[in-house]
């Protein structure tokens, strides 16, 4: 069954036509849903005209949007899209106004960093090298610690940064060899 939306009013269409990609707009968080955030934009003729999809909330990983935003909170976001014909919404991004933390890590390839284990999964362990920068240590890497070592959440490990993909927000890690750690 297709979801239908009420047609946007003439006043709303006129307002949305004034918005430009990249422009900053302010408003108040009106509602938080698992599929995104509705924002009452300043000067909008109707409530909840702004919408922030979950990936546009923050560069940092979160399990629930309410960890980052609260209803009633004032926000400033960049316009990244406008749907004036069907939904009558401005698609917004908080993340677009924040520096990309992944870019700083491109120059760190080859360096060894301490990382804290944040989550264990069947195929390895996720570790945090910095706030908002998590990577996977595959089981093939963890096996280098030896059969007598059991990795637990909270453990700190030395990790070698093998590769960084800022666009994909991925960092490839391995455990340093004795030679790498002493370089």
């Amino acid at each position: 069954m297709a979801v239908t939306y009420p047609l946007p009013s003439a006043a709303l269409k006129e307002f949305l036509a004034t918005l430009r990609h990249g422009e900053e707009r302010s408003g108040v968080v009106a509602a938080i849903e698992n599929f995104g955030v509705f924002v009452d934009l300043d000067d909008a003729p109707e409530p909840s005209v702004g919408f922030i999809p979950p990936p546009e909330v923050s560069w940092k990983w979160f399990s629930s949007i309410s960890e980052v935003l609260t209803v009633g909170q004032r926000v400033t976001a960049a316009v990244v899209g406008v749907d004036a014909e069907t939904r009558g919404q401005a698609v917004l991004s908080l993340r677009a106004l924040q520096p990309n933390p992944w870019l700083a890590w491109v120059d760190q390839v080859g360096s060894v960093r301490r990382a804290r284990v944040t989550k264990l999964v069947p195929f390895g362990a996720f570790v945090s090298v910095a706030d908002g920068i998590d990577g996977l240590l595959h089981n093939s890497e963890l096996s280098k610690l030896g059969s007598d070592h059991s990795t637990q959440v909270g453990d700190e490990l030395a990790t070698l940064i093998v590769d960084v993909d800022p666009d994909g927000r991925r960092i490839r890690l391995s455990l340093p060899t004795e030679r790498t750690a002493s370089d």
Side-chain angles (χ1 to χ4, degrees):
M1 181 172 155
V3 176
T4 58
Y5 297 92
L7 292 176
S9 67
L12 179 55
K13 284 184 178 183
E14 187 178 316
F15 170 77
L16 292 171
T18 67
L19 301 180
R20 299 291 173 250
H21 190 275
E23 172 183 28
E24 292 182 24
R25 287 294 183 139
S26 296
V28 175
V29 173
I32 298 173
E33 303 292 342
N34 61 353
F35 54 86
V37 178
F38 292 96
V39 179
D40 290 342
L41 289 176
D42 298 347
D43 303 326
E46 298 176 18
S48 299
V49 170
F51 180 74
I52 307 171
E56 297 301 327
V57 170
S58 177
W59 286 103
K60 297 178 183 176
W61 185 89
F62 53 85
S63 59
S64 170
I65 295 171
S66 59
E67 294 173 18
V68 183
L69 296 171
T70 57
V71 173
Q73 180 178 348
R74 186 143 190 81
V75 295
T76 299
V79 175
V80 295
V82 176
D83 179 353
E85 296 305 317
T86 57
R87 293 189 179 179
Q89 289 183 331
V91 181
L92 306 172
S93 174
L94 294 172
R95 190 178 79 171
L97 299 181
Q98 302 166 358
N100 182 344
W102 291 87
L103 292 175
W105 288 88
V106 171
D107 295 337
Q108 300 299 317
V109 171
S111 67
V112 175
R113 299 281 183 200
R114 299 295 296 172
R116 184 173 305 279
V117 175
T118 58
K119 184 177 182 182
L120 298 174
V121 291
F123 46 87
F126 283 98
V127 297
S128 179
V129 294
D131 190 25
I133 306 293
D134 292 351
L136 174 70
L137 271 174
H138 194 272
N139 280 336
S140 61
E141 289 295 322
L142 293 172
S143 67
K144 294 177 184 177
L145 294 172
S147 60
D148 61 331
H149 186 273
S150 175
T151 304
Q152 301 294 320
V153 171
D155 286 354
E156 274 204 17
L157 303 171
T159 59
L160 173 66
I161 299 173
V162 177
D163 186 41
V164 177
D165 173 8
D167 294 330
R169 295 190 290 166
R170 295 183 186 266
I171 186 167
R172 193 161 55 106
L173 304 168
S174 71
L175 292 176
T177 62
E178 300 258 345
R179 184 172 181 266
T180 307
S182 64
D183 287 347

